[in-house]
Amino acid sequence: MDNTIIYLAYLVASCLFILGIKGLTKPRTAVRGNQLSALGMLIAVVVTLLDHSIISYQWIIAGIIVGGAIGAFMAKKIQVTAMPQMVALLNGFGGGASLFIAIANFLDPASATHTVALISIGATVLIGSVTLSGSFIAFAKLQELISGNPIRVPGNKVINLVLLVAAIALSGAIVVDPTQIDLIYALAAVSLLLGIFLVIPIGGADMPVVIALLNSYSGIAAATTGFITGNTVLIVAGALVGASGIILTQIMCKAMNRSLFNVLFGVMGEGGVVADADEVYAGKVKSTSPEEVAMLLETAERVVIVPGYGLAMAQAQHAVRDLANELQRRGTDVKYAIHPVAGRMPGHMNVLLAEAEVPYEQLIEMDEINPQFEQTDVAIVIGANDVTNPLAREDKTSPIYGMPILNVDKARTVIVIKRSLSPGFAGIPNPLFANDNTLMLFGDGKKEIVELTKDLKEAD
Amino acid sequence: MELLLLLTLFVVAVFLGVELITKVPPTLHTPLMSGSNAISGISLVGAILSAGSDAGYWVNILGFIAVVLATINVVGGYMVTNRMLSMFKRK
């Protein structure tokens, strides 16, 4: 097919991607936006199949069948609680695709001809490899194949720096002497190692930042792939995804009051005078029962539910929705307070609650809900910890000082549903649990809520 | 000159992306990530060209692997995004 037509079709596809993302700015138009974006993809793929440089189709068809089957299977089977793992894997596959295309182009004497192509190949192999191995480590942590806690490797920063310098040197060497085929494999190996060492020290609670960042890398890798052969749709689409990931990374860092550097190198806030847990909790923690909480809720007019990662762990989203339904039936006002980094990826809690058919109007963002806690009768915290810790607001010596939190302690009564008093990711005790107006409901989130709802129903 | 045009395209697209994405509400951040994942599967276009080229066996094999990975991204990404978004829609 004529190149002009191909590039015009790519232009149409690029516009559809932009309209698709624009659709995602409102829940009402989001489904349509996603379909427009998919249509753009279809157009780009179909015109590419008509490119006259393609001489055989067997590998293409086989690849599309295998990839399509795996992709469809994953999309159908994945549980909503496991969405962070799914996105981590997809990021990795995106980076991997760019990596293999770059190596293929390097081996193809027709495309690795000029300096720009060679620089782009080096950049793509580097970014693609880091995205691939980094995403798989993130996946393994989220799936708990390896520990979700930060894994400290001695000299990690030095190793990262050495690997990065080596990768850049190898990228340069490829441009100088493209006949040395082995150099590209060395570059890929070094970059894959770099990806592993970049993600391994990062703990589970920082995963929203890592996933957003790797999302951005997968886009940038696609864009640099576009520079190899001057493919416009790759450049536009890759740039859009790269920008998206960077914006989400920024939002997540801001919500944790940490710089990207601190997250990447596993640094928790400075100062870091960690209070002794016994001192904070001793004799002050009041434990309660589902029955007692049900009695409290009977007379409550305004209830705010604060979900955290523990909600996803306990798969308690449907139980929570049932409780909220029962409360609403009794005329109680129910809202959900969503902290931007609650869960393991941006928007994790929203998707989880949407699955349980909680209307999104009831999900209130932090800045909007915080002034309302003072008028709240009962705040129910389920599996959230650090994002409710008042030390972030009050104690300048605390490692989490300055992190924006949900002011649940301002509510008249706070119910915390949690297995134990164990600390959250920040590793510090939470004085909220010892407050006069706090009652601890120890146990599995789902079980306790089911119990609680039952007691509330029987109260009539 | 061609490089400058491509660079221009890239930078303008980044700015456009930033403008658009800052308007996406936090509620839709997860679908945004999976949806943009699907878009980054656009590398399928490059993968197809390698898998079907006349540059020899190895280029075709590498292209094939890239086609598989990119297609997982495209199909898996769009389908899972659609699944999530329809949960937001129903009432």
Side-chain angles (χ1 to χ4, degrees):
Chain A
M1 198 196 264
D2 184 36
N3 269 340
T4 312
I5 297 172
I6 291 181
Y7 276 89
L8 284 174
Y10 283 171
L11 177 60
V12 173
S14 303
C15 293
L16 286 168
F17 290 146
I18 292 164
L19 290 172
I21 294 179
K22 191 166 159 37
L24 277 174
T25 53
K26 288 190 198 80
R28 208 169 298 282
T29 56
V31 171
R32 200 177 151 69
N34 190 49
Q35 287 162 351
L36 284 178
S37 166
L39 177 66
M41 184 65 69
L42 185 70
I43 292 173
V45 169
V46 168
V47 297
T48 307
L49 287 172
L50 302 173
D51 193 296
H52 56 76
S53 74
I54 294 175
I55 54 153
S56 68
Y57 283 92
Q58 73 263 30
W59 289 112
I60 299 173
I61 293 166
I64 288 179
I65 291 172
V66 172
I70 298 172
F73 179 80
M74 281 170 60
K76 285 247 183 262
K77 290 287 165 198
I78 193 88
Q79 292 214 323
V80 174
T81 45
M83 212 48 88
Q85 289 94 307
M86 170 92 177
V87 170
L89 272 186
L90 289 177
N91 281 337
F93 292 152
S98 297
L99 164 66
F100 287 108
I101 297 165
I103 299 178
N105 274 293
F106 188 71
L107 299 180
D108 180 352
S111 57
T113 47
H114 53 287
T115 314
V116 174
L118 290 168
I119 293 173
S120 310
I121 286 172
T124 309
V125 171
L126 203 173
I127 303 168
S129 303
V130 167
T131 313
L132 178 65
S133 59
S135 297
F136 276 86
I137 296 292
F139 169 79
K141 282 184 178 243
L142 291 163
Q143 189 72 28
E144 295 183 334
L145 301 175
I146 57 176
S147 162
N149 296 326
I151 297 169
R152 308 252 178 244
V153 182
N156 203 318
K157 276 184 218 177
V158 179
I159 296 173
N160 289 353
L161 190 67
V162 170
L163 287 172
L164 181 64
V165 170
I168 292 171
L170 283 165
S171 310
I174 284 166
V175 180
V176 176
D177 186 3
T179 56
Q180 298 285 325
I181 303 289
D182 288 342
L183 285 178
I184 196 120
Y185 297 116
L187 173 59
V190 167
S191 308
L192 285 168
L193 274 178
L194 179 61
I196 294 172
F197 280 102
L198 273 175
V199 180
I200 227 118
I202 301 175
D206 282 343
M207 276 301 149
V209 178
V210 176
I211 294 185
L213 192 64
L214 289 167
N215 190 29
S216 172
Y217 287 173
S218 77
I220 296 169
T224 53
T225 311
F227 277 97
I228 301 173
T229 53
N231 190 315
T232 51
V233 73
L234 273 170
I235 293 174
V236 173
L240 290 173
V241 178
S244 162
I246 286 289
I247 297 277
L248 290 173
T249 308
Q250 263 181 357
I251 294 173
M252 293 301 113
C253 282
K254 213 172 142 202
M256 296 199 293
N257 191 36
R258 298 177 63 190
S259 68
L260 183 58
F261 180 88
N262 281 1
V263 173
L264 290 183
F265 293 101
V267 184
M268 282 302 296
E270 295 103 52
V273 181
V274 177
D276 185 51
D278 289 336
E279 214 170 283
V280 175
Y281 297 139
K284 290 182 226 157
V285 174
K286 292 181 290 294
S287 146
T288 184
S289 66
E291 214 178 352
E292 201 182 332
V293 177
M295 266 155 54
L296 264 171
L297 290 175
E298 250 179 84
T299 54
E301 278 172 35
R302 268 181 281 273
V303 171
V304 174
I305 297 171
V306 182
Y309 182 57
L311 176 90
M313 290 283 282
Q315 303 255 10
Q317 67 271 32
H318 296 279
V320 166
R321 200 269 331 270
D322 288 342
L323 173 64
N325 281 359
E326 175 60 21
L327 284 166
Q328 280 170 324
R329 196 187 61 79
R330 307 175 66 92
T332 311
D333 177 62
V334 181
K335 283 179 186 137
Y336 297 81
I338 310 293
H339 193 280
V341 293
R344 287 293 183 261
M345 71 181 296
H348 192 185
M349 290 299 123
N350 304 77
V351 172
L352 212 58
L353 292 168
E355 193 213 4
E357 296 182 55
V358 173
Y360 57 78
E361 292 87 352
Q362 286 180 16
L363 311 182
I364 315 292
E365 287 166 44
M366 178 169 63
D367 293 338
E368 202 186 327
I369 196 83
N370 264 343
Q372 299 180 28
F373 276 113
E374 278 168 46
Q375 289 91 48
T376 300
D377 296 308
V378 182
I380 307 175
V381 180
I382 306 162
N385 190 347
D386 293 336
V387 296
T388 63
N389 194 330
L391 287 179
R393 209 175 47 217
E394 290 152 5
D395 183 0
K396 284 198 171 139
T397 62
S398 170
I400 60 165
Y401 180 73
M403 177 172 120
I405 58 157
L406 291 164
N407 296 328
V408 289
D409 55 324
K410 309 262 184 194
R412 212 149 298 151
T413 309
V414 185
I415 308 292
V416 179
I417 305 179
K418 209 173 169 308
R419 285 173 179 278
S420 68
L421 285 172
S422 63
F425 173 69
I428 56 171
N430 189 343
L432 172 75
F433 303 160
N435 270 1
D436 288 339
N437 60 340
T438 303
L439 295 169
M440 300 296 296
L441 185 53
F442 291 111
D444 172 70
K446 189 175 174 181
K447 199 175 131 266
E448 298 301 322
I449 291 166
V450 169
E451 201 69 17
L452 173 57
T453 312
K454 207 179 94 215
D455 288 336
L456 190 62
K457 277 182 181 157
E458 283 166 5
D460 292 309
Chain B
M1 189 56 205
E2 199 203 62
L3 174 66
L4 282 179
L5 279 176
L6 295 178
L7 263 180
T8 309
L9 190 62
F10 177 74
V11 174
V12 170
V14 167
F15 274 91
L16 180 61
V18 169
E19 286 304 312
L20 277 175
I21 277 114
T22 41
K23 295 202 180 76
V24 176
T27 301
L28 293 176
H29 277 169
T30 297
L32 169 67
M33 296 195 85
S34 59
S36 62
N37 250 318
I39 295 178
S40 75
I42 187 67
S43 48
L44 178 55
V45 164
I48 286 173
L49 293 174
S50 289
S53 84
D54 60 356
Y57 194 64
W58 278 110
V59 171
N60 290 162
I61 295 276
L62 288 166
F64 165 74
I65 300 172
V67 169
V68 172
L69 294 176
T71 310
I72 294 175
N73 244 6
V74 169
V75 175
Y78 281 121
M79 279 179 68
V80 87
T81 308
N82 194 58
R83 201 181 123 193
M84 275 191 277
L85 290 175
S86 42
M87 297 187 315
F88 281 99
K89 212 181 173 188
R90 76 180 171 214
K91 213 34 83 58

